[in-house]
Amino acid sequence: MSHALTSRKRHLNAANGVDLGVLYTTVSAGMLLARRYLTGRGIDQEFADRYGSAFGRTAAKIYRTSNGAEPRRAWSNVNGKWRRVNGYLPTETDVLDKAFDTYPRTADYVAPELAAEPTPVEIYNKAAGHYPAQFAGITGETLRAAERAGGTEAVERFVNVHLDDLHTWKQDTEDYDRAMVGDVDKAARREVQGRPWDDPRVQRWMQAERGMEDYLNARDTFNAAVVDWLYDLTGTVEVSDVPRPPAPTIPEGCRVPGCVGTWHYDDMCTAPLGEVQFEGEDVSLPAELVADETGRHIVAFAYNLSSLNIRREMRDRVSAAEFTAQLRQLADAVDGAAAFLPA
Protein backbone atom coordinates (compact mmCIF):
# COMPACT_ATOMS: atom_id res chain seq x y z
CA MET A 1 0.00 0.00 0.00
CA SER A 2 1.36 3.39 -0.98
CA HIS A 3 2.33 6.05 1.54
CA ALA A 4 -0.49 8.30 0.20
CA LEU A 5 -3.16 5.67 0.76
CA THR A 6 -1.84 4.88 4.25
CA SER A 7 -1.90 8.57 5.18
CA ARG A 8 -5.43 8.95 3.80
CA LYS A 9 -6.62 5.94 5.83
CA ARG A 10 -5.15 7.45 8.98
CA HIS A 11 -6.98 10.70 8.29
CA LEU A 12 -10.25 8.85 7.75
CA ASN A 13 -9.81 6.89 11.00
CA ALA A 14 -9.07 10.09 12.86
CA ALA A 15 -12.13 11.78 11.36
CA ASN A 16 -14.35 8.87 12.40
CA GLY A 17 -13.18 9.31 15.97
CA VAL A 18 -14.07 13.01 16.20
CA ASP A 19 -17.17 13.92 18.21
CA LEU A 20 -19.59 15.58 15.78
CA GLY A 21 -20.86 18.00 18.42
CA VAL A 22 -17.32 19.21 19.07
CA LEU A 23 -16.59 19.38 15.35
CA TYR A 24 -19.76 21.34 14.43
CA THR A 25 -19.36 23.69 17.38
CA THR A 26 -15.76 24.40 16.39
CA VAL A 27 -16.66 24.99 12.75
CA SER A 28 -19.48 27.40 13.70
CA ALA A 29 -17.58 29.21 16.46
CA GLY A 30 -17.96 32.98 16.36
CA MET A 31 -20.79 32.96 13.82
CA LEU A 32 -24.22 34.50 14.43
CA LEU A 33 -27.13 32.07 14.01
CA ALA A 34 -30.80 33.02 13.73
CA ARG A 35 -32.10 31.50 16.96
CA ARG A 36 -29.12 32.63 19.03
CA TYR A 37 -29.50 36.15 17.63
CA LEU A 38 -33.20 36.24 18.53
CA THR A 39 -32.67 35.18 22.14
CA GLY A 40 -29.89 37.77 22.35
CA ARG A 41 -32.47 40.40 21.41
CA GLY A 42 -34.70 39.37 24.33
CA ILE A 43 -36.91 36.94 22.41
CA ASP A 44 -37.99 34.00 24.59
CA GLN A 45 -36.65 30.58 23.60
CA GLU A 46 -40.06 29.14 22.70
CA PHE A 47 -40.68 31.93 20.17
CA ALA A 48 -37.15 31.60 18.76
CA ASP A 49 -37.53 27.83 18.28
CA ARG A 50 -40.93 28.22 16.63
CA TYR A 51 -40.15 31.07 14.20
CA GLY A 52 -36.34 30.91 13.94
CA SER A 53 -36.40 29.17 10.55
CA ALA A 54 -38.75 31.71 8.96
CA PHE A 55 -36.71 34.57 10.44
CA GLY A 56 -33.55 32.94 9.05
CA ARG A 57 -35.04 32.80 5.55
CA THR A 58 -35.85 36.51 5.75
CA ALA A 59 -32.26 37.27 6.78
CA ALA A 60 -30.87 35.10 3.94
CA LYS A 61 -33.01 36.96 1.37
CA ILE A 62 -31.70 40.31 2.64
CA TYR A 63 -28.11 39.01 2.47
CA ARG A 64 -28.52 37.81 -1.14
CA THR A 65 -30.02 41.15 -2.20
CA SER A 66 -27.23 43.13 -0.53
CA ASN A 67 -24.24 40.92 -1.47
CA GLY A 68 -25.29 38.97 -4.54
CA ALA A 69 -24.18 35.73 -2.93
CA GLU A 70 -25.38 33.03 -0.55
CA PRO A 71 -24.78 33.41 3.20
CA ARG A 72 -22.11 31.31 4.82
CA ARG A 73 -23.13 27.93 6.19
CA ALA A 74 -22.84 26.81 9.80
CA TRP A 75 -24.13 24.07 12.07
CA SER A 76 -26.87 24.48 14.69
CA ASN A 77 -28.23 21.97 17.23
CA VAL A 78 -32.02 22.23 16.87
CA ASN A 79 -34.08 20.04 19.21
CA GLY A 80 -31.18 17.62 19.69
CA LYS A 81 -30.28 17.32 15.97
CA TRP A 82 -27.43 19.03 14.12
CA ARG A 83 -28.63 20.94 11.05
CA ARG A 84 -26.94 23.05 8.37
CA VAL A 85 -28.12 26.65 8.71
CA ASN A 86 -27.04 30.06 7.52
CA GLY A 87 -24.40 31.81 9.60
CA TYR A 88 -23.24 35.42 9.72
CA LEU A 89 -20.04 37.08 10.81
CA PRO A 90 -20.15 39.65 13.62
CA THR A 91 -19.54 42.34 10.96
CA GLU A 92 -22.79 41.26 9.25
CA THR A 93 -25.06 41.93 12.23
CA ASP A 94 -26.82 44.64 10.24
CA VAL A 95 -28.36 41.90 8.05
CA LEU A 96 -29.99 40.29 11.06
CA ASP A 97 -31.02 43.66 12.48
CA LYS A 98 -32.79 44.51 9.22
CA ALA A 99 -34.43 41.08 9.17
CA PHE A 100 -35.64 41.65 12.76
CA ASP A 101 -37.40 44.85 11.66
CA THR A 102 -38.66 43.31 8.40
CA TYR A 103 -40.00 39.90 9.49
CA PRO A 104 -43.56 40.62 10.74
CA ARG A 105 -43.49 38.33 13.77
CA THR A 106 -40.30 39.81 15.19
CA ALA A 107 -41.28 43.35 14.25
CA ASP A 108 -44.51 42.97 16.23
CA TYR A 109 -43.00 40.89 19.01
CA VAL A 110 -43.88 41.94 22.55
CA ALA A 111 -41.82 40.29 25.25
CA PRO A 112 -43.99 38.49 27.83
CA GLU A 113 -44.05 40.30 31.14
CA LEU A 114 -42.40 38.40 33.92
CA ALA A 115 -44.61 37.92 36.92
CA ALA A 116 -43.42 40.16 39.71
CA GLU A 117 -42.00 38.32 42.69
CA PRO A 118 -44.51 38.67 45.54
CA THR A 119 -43.29 40.72 48.47
CA PRO A 120 -43.26 39.35 52.05
CA VAL A 121 -46.22 41.62 52.82
CA GLU A 122 -48.22 40.12 49.93
CA ILE A 123 -47.24 36.58 50.87
CA TYR A 124 -48.27 37.07 54.49
CA ASN A 125 -51.61 38.69 53.73
CA LYS A 126 -52.48 36.01 51.18
CA ALA A 127 -51.69 33.24 53.66
CA ALA A 128 -52.87 34.74 56.95
CA GLY A 129 -54.87 37.86 56.18
CA HIS A 130 -58.19 36.15 56.96
CA TYR A 131 -57.26 34.92 60.42
CA PRO A 132 -58.01 38.11 62.44
CA ALA A 133 -61.61 38.12 61.18
CA GLN A 134 -61.90 34.37 61.68
CA PHE A 135 -61.02 34.57 65.37
CA ALA A 136 -62.81 37.85 66.10
CA GLY A 137 -65.81 37.46 68.36
CA ILE A 138 -65.18 33.85 69.47
CA THR A 139 -66.46 33.47 73.04
CA GLY A 140 -67.65 30.73 75.31
CA GLU A 141 -71.13 31.30 73.90
CA THR A 142 -69.78 30.43 70.44
CA LEU A 143 -68.82 27.00 71.74
CA ARG A 144 -72.07 26.60 73.65
CA ALA A 145 -74.01 27.32 70.45
CA ALA A 146 -71.96 24.67 68.66
CA GLU A 147 -72.66 22.25 71.52
CA ARG A 148 -76.42 22.88 71.37
CA ALA A 149 -76.38 22.28 67.62
CA GLY A 150 -74.13 19.22 67.43
CA GLY A 151 -73.10 18.12 70.90
CA THR A 152 -69.61 17.97 72.36
CA GLU A 153 -68.26 16.41 69.18
CA ALA A 154 -69.09 19.61 67.31
CA VAL A 155 -67.18 21.61 69.94
CA GLU A 156 -64.22 19.27 69.65
CA ARG A 157 -64.12 19.70 65.87
CA PHE A 158 -64.40 23.48 66.20
CA VAL A 159 -61.58 23.62 68.74
CA ASN A 160 -59.25 21.32 66.77
CA VAL A 161 -59.71 23.27 63.54
CA HIS A 162 -58.97 26.58 65.24
CA LEU A 163 -55.96 25.19 67.11
CA ASP A 164 -54.52 24.02 63.78
CA ASP A 165 -55.19 27.45 62.29
CA LEU A 166 -53.48 29.18 65.22
CA HIS A 167 -50.43 26.99 64.71
CA THR A 168 -50.34 27.81 60.97
CA TRP A 169 -50.88 31.51 61.68
CA LYS A 170 -47.91 31.55 64.04
CA GLN A 171 -45.72 29.95 61.40
CA ASP A 172 -46.84 32.56 58.85
CA THR A 173 -45.95 35.43 61.19
CA GLU A 174 -42.54 33.92 61.95
CA ASP A 175 -41.86 33.46 58.22
CA TYR A 176 -42.78 37.11 57.66
CA ASP A 177 -40.45 38.30 60.41
CA ARG A 178 -37.57 36.27 58.95
CA ALA A 179 -38.20 37.68 55.46
CA MET A 180 -38.53 41.33 56.53
CA VAL A 181 -34.90 42.11 57.24
CA GLY A 182 -32.45 44.64 55.88
CA ASP A 183 -33.21 46.12 52.47
CA VAL A 184 -36.48 44.17 52.16
CA ASP A 185 -37.85 45.88 55.27
CA LYS A 186 -36.64 49.29 54.11
CA ALA A 187 -38.24 48.84 50.68
CA ALA A 188 -41.57 47.85 52.24
CA ARG A 189 -41.55 50.95 54.45
CA ARG A 190 -40.68 53.23 51.51
CA GLU A 191 -43.63 51.75 49.58
CA VAL A 192 -46.12 53.07 52.16
CA GLN A 193 -44.28 56.14 53.39
CA GLY A 194 -46.37 59.29 53.06
CA ARG A 195 -49.53 57.49 51.91
CA PRO A 196 -52.83 58.08 53.76
CA TRP A 197 -53.80 55.56 56.44
CA ASP A 198 -56.79 54.32 54.48
CA ASP A 199 -54.64 53.45 51.44
CA PRO A 200 -55.01 49.67 50.79
CA ARG A 201 -51.21 49.29 50.59
CA VAL A 202 -50.80 50.89 53.99
CA GLN A 203 -53.52 48.68 55.45
CA ARG A 204 -51.90 45.50 54.08
CA TRP A 205 -48.51 46.53 55.43
CA MET A 206 -49.95 47.37 58.86
CA GLN A 207 -51.80 44.05 59.04
CA ALA A 208 -48.61 42.13 58.26
CA GLU A 209 -46.55 44.20 60.70
CA ARG A 210 -48.90 43.54 63.61
CA GLY A 211 -49.30 39.87 62.67
CA MET A 212 -47.67 38.50 65.83
CA GLU A 213 -49.66 40.87 68.05
CA ASP A 214 -52.91 39.86 66.34
CA TYR A 215 -51.96 36.19 66.67
CA LEU A 216 -51.27 36.48 70.40
CA ASN A 217 -54.53 38.36 71.00
CA ALA A 218 -56.49 35.77 69.04
CA ARG A 219 -54.81 32.92 70.91
CA ASP A 220 -55.62 34.44 74.30
CA THR A 221 -59.20 35.21 73.28
CA PHE A 222 -59.69 31.68 71.96
CA ASN A 223 -58.22 30.07 75.07
CA ALA A 224 -60.48 32.23 77.26
CA ALA A 225 -63.50 31.08 75.22
CA VAL A 226 -62.53 27.43 75.72
CA VAL A 227 -62.10 27.92 79.46
CA ASP A 228 -65.46 29.74 79.60
CA TRP A 229 -67.12 26.81 77.86
CA LEU A 230 -65.36 24.17 79.95
CA TYR A 231 -66.52 25.73 83.21
CA ASP A 232 -69.79 27.11 81.79
CA LEU A 233 -69.33 30.48 83.48
CA THR A 234 -72.65 31.80 82.12
CA GLY A 235 -74.73 28.79 83.15
CA THR A 236 -76.67 28.93 79.88
CA VAL A 237 -76.15 25.24 79.15
CA GLU A 238 -77.80 22.95 81.61
CA VAL A 239 -75.76 19.89 82.47
CA SER A 240 -77.58 17.26 84.46
CA ASP A 241 -75.72 16.41 87.65
CA VAL A 242 -76.24 12.68 87.36
CA PRO A 243 -74.04 10.57 89.63
CA ARG A 244 -71.84 8.03 87.97
CA PRO A 245 -73.22 4.51 87.89
CA PRO A 246 -71.71 2.10 90.37
CA ALA A 247 -68.79 0.07 89.16
CA PRO A 248 -69.91 -3.31 87.85
CA THR A 249 -68.76 -6.35 89.71
CA ILE A 250 -66.17 -8.34 87.82
CA PRO A 251 -66.40 -11.86 89.19
CA GLU A 252 -62.95 -12.90 88.05
CA GLY A 253 -61.40 -9.71 89.37
CA CYS A 254 -59.65 -7.11 87.20
CA ARG A 255 -58.94 -8.06 83.62
CA VAL A 256 -55.36 -6.74 83.65
CA PRO A 257 -52.68 -6.76 86.36
CA GLY A 258 -52.07 -3.40 87.96
CA CYS A 259 -55.58 -2.07 87.27
CA VAL A 260 -56.25 1.10 89.27
CA GLY A 261 -60.04 0.74 89.06
CA THR A 262 -60.53 4.33 87.81
CA TRP A 263 -62.76 3.30 84.92
CA HIS A 264 -64.63 0.42 86.53
CA TYR A 265 -67.85 2.43 86.27
CA ASP A 266 -67.44 2.11 82.47
CA ASP A 267 -66.80 -1.64 82.80
CA MET A 268 -63.17 -1.05 81.90
CA CYS A 269 -59.87 -1.92 83.55
CA THR A 270 -56.82 0.29 83.09
CA ALA A 271 -53.22 -0.11 84.20
CA PRO A 272 -50.89 2.90 83.71
CA LEU A 273 -47.63 1.94 81.98
CA GLY A 274 -45.82 5.26 82.35
CA GLU A 275 -45.55 8.61 80.62
CA VAL A 276 -43.16 11.07 79.00
CA GLN A 277 -43.30 14.61 80.37
CA PHE A 278 -43.18 17.65 78.05
CA GLU A 279 -42.89 21.36 78.67
CA GLY A 280 -45.94 23.10 80.06
CA GLU A 281 -48.27 22.30 82.88
CA ASP A 282 -49.81 18.82 82.76
CA VAL A 283 -48.58 18.11 79.25
CA SER A 284 -47.47 14.53 78.80
CA LEU A 285 -47.64 11.40 76.67
CA PRO A 286 -49.01 8.59 78.86
CA ALA A 287 -49.66 4.98 77.91
CA GLU A 288 -52.07 2.48 79.46
CA LEU A 289 -52.95 -1.20 79.20
CA VAL A 290 -56.72 -1.30 78.79
CA ALA A 291 -59.26 -4.14 78.90
CA ASP A 292 -62.96 -3.80 78.16
CA GLU A 293 -65.69 -5.95 76.64
CA THR A 294 -63.88 -5.83 73.28
CA GLY A 295 -60.65 -7.25 74.65
CA ARG A 296 -57.24 -5.98 75.74
CA HIS A 297 -55.32 -3.18 74.02
CA ILE A 298 -52.62 -0.60 74.71
CA VAL A 299 -53.42 3.10 74.39
CA ALA A 300 -50.92 5.96 74.12
CA PHE A 301 -52.47 9.40 74.08
CA ALA A 302 -51.68 13.09 74.47
CA TYR A 303 -54.26 15.77 75.16
CA ASN A 304 -53.95 19.37 76.25
CA LEU A 305 -56.66 21.69 75.03
CA SER A 306 -54.82 24.97 75.54
CA SER A 307 -51.43 23.91 74.15
CA LEU A 308 -50.57 24.57 70.51
CA ASN A 309 -47.81 22.01 70.49
CA ILE A 310 -46.17 19.39 72.66
CA ARG A 311 -42.44 19.80 73.01
CA ARG A 312 -39.56 19.27 75.37
CA GLU A 313 -36.31 21.19 75.03
CA MET A 314 -33.02 19.72 76.22
CA ARG A 315 -29.94 21.91 76.51
CA ASP A 316 -27.56 19.68 78.48
CA ARG A 317 -26.68 16.03 78.91
CA VAL A 318 -28.53 15.68 82.19
CA SER A 319 -31.88 16.79 80.74
CA ALA A 320 -31.29 14.62 77.65
CA ALA A 321 -30.55 11.62 79.88
CA GLU A 322 -33.74 12.21 81.88
CA PHE A 323 -35.79 12.29 78.67
CA THR A 324 -34.25 9.12 77.23
CA ALA A 325 -34.73 7.37 80.60
CA GLN A 326 -38.45 8.16 80.46
CA LEU A 327 -38.62 6.91 76.89
CA ARG A 328 -36.82 3.66 77.77
CA GLN A 329 -39.00 3.12 80.84
CA LEU A 330 -42.17 3.66 78.82
CA ALA A 331 -40.89 1.48 75.98
CA ASP A 332 -40.05 -1.35 78.41
CA ALA A 333 -43.50 -1.07 80.02
CA VAL A 334 -45.28 -1.17 76.64
CA ASP A 335 -43.12 -4.11 75.57
CA GLY A 336 -44.04 -5.98 78.74
CA ALA A 337 -47.74 -5.17 78.43
CA ALA A 338 -47.71 -6.48 74.85
CA ALA A 339 -47.53 -9.98 76.32
CA PHE A 340 -51.18 -9.60 77.35
CA LEU A 341 -52.29 -8.82 73.79
CA PRO A 342 -53.33 -11.36 71.15
CA ALA A 343 -50.51 -12.55 68.91
Side-chain angles (χ1 to χ4, degrees):
M1 183 180 293
S2 68
H3 176 74
L5 290 177
T6 302
S7 176
R8 181 181 180 189
K9 185 176 181 181
R10 288 174 179 169
H11 286 302
L12 289 174
N13 290 337
N16 289 333
V18 173
D19 182 270
L20 291 180
V22 175
L23 175 62
Y24 293 157
T25 301
T26 303
V27 170
S28 305
M31 300 189 73
L32 297 175
L33 309 182
R35 288 174 174 78
R36 194 180 306 160
Y37 169 85
L38 289 175
T39 56
R41 287 289 299 265
I43 298 290
D44 63 275
Q45 189 64 53
E46 181 181 359
F47 184 100
D49 289 340
R50 184 173 183 179
Y51 300 111
S53 296
F55 169 77
R57 289 193 294 270
T58 301
K61 184 177 180 180
I62 293 173
Y63 185 90
R64 294 189 197 100
T65 302
S66 301
N67 298 282
E70 291 293 323
R72 294 171 180 80
R73 303 293 280 173
W75 290 93
S76 177
N77 192 320
V78 181
N79 297 326
K81 295 182 179 180
W82 287 99
R83 298 179 180 177
R84 289 295 301 275
V85 298
N86 294 326
Y88 303 89
L89 298 176
T91 55
E92 299 168 338
T93 306
D94 60 313
V95 174
L96 296 169
D97 292 340
K98 189 173 182 180
F100 191 91
D101 296 333
T102 303
Y103 179 53
R105 293 191 182 278
T106 53
D108 297 336
Y109 177 80
V110 177
E113 294 185 5
L114 297 177
E117 193 73 19
T119 65
V121 171
E122 293 169 336
I123 293 173
Y124 175 82
N125 280 286
K126 183 177 180 180
H130 65 286
Y131 284 135
Q134 175 182 333
F135 282 86
I138 293 180
T139 64
E141 180 56 31
T142 307
L143 302 181
R144 284 187 283 275
E147 183 179 21
R148 285 191 291 268
T152 55
E153 291 184 357
V155 178
E156 183 178 358
R157 288 193 299 270
F158 182 91
V159 169
N160 287 337
V161 167
H162 282 74
L163 285 177
D164 288 341
D165 287 344
L166 279 173
H167 179 67
T168 303
W169 188 2
K170 182 182 180 183
Q171 289 182 321
D172 291 334
T173 58
E174 291 174 347
D175 291 343
Y176 174 78
D177 287 340
R178 283 192 292 267
M180 290 292 287
V181 295
D183 294 337
V184 176
D185 182 48
K186 293 177 182 177
R189 294 177 185 276
R190 285 196 300 270
E191 172 68 16
V192 300
Q193 189 173 8
R195 299 184 184 278
W197 287 108
D198 57 353
D199 187 297
R201 283 166 290 190
V202 176
Q203 293 298 316
R204 287 192 293 270
W205 176 75
M206 290 178 61
Q207 183 169 0
E209 282 292 290
R210 63 172 181 254
M212 182 57 72
E213 180 182 354
D214 287 342
Y215 157 76
L216 293 174
N217 290 336
R219 185 195 65 180
D220 293 343
T221 299
F222 183 71
N223 288 346
V226 173
V227 171
D228 182 8
W229 171 76
L230 282 173
Y231 293 98
D232 193 18
L233 301 183
T234 66
T236 56
V237 176
E238 295 184 2
V239 179
S240 301
D241 188 13
V242 179
R244 290 179 174 179
T249 302
I250 303 177
E252 299 80 15
C254 291
R255 298 187 180 101
V256 293
C259 174
V260 294
T262 304
W263 296 98
H264 277 178
Y265 67 89
D266 270 347
D267 195 17
M268 182 185 301
C269 292
T270 57
L273 301 177
E275 63 181 24
V276 177
Q277 290 290 328
F278 292 92
E279 295 175 5
E281 184 178 356
D282 297 329
V283 181
S284 62
L285 174 67
E288 295 177 348
L289 175 61
V290 180
D292 55 20
E293 67 276 5
T294 64
R296 293 170 176 166
H297 50 278
I298 294 175
V299 178
F301 58 92
Y303 184 72
N304 187 283
L305 193 61
S306 62
S307 177
L308 295 180
N309 53 26
I310 295 178
R311 65 190 298 270
R312 176 165 173 166
E313 189 173 276
M314 292 156 279
R315 294 182 176 272
D316 52 55
R317 294 182 181 179
V318 174
S319 59
E322 292 174 351
F323 182 69
T324 54
Q326 288 186 354
L327 289 175
R328 291 192 182 96
Q329 183 178 359
L330 182 57
D332 291 341
V334 171
D335 191 43
F340 297 95
L341 303 181

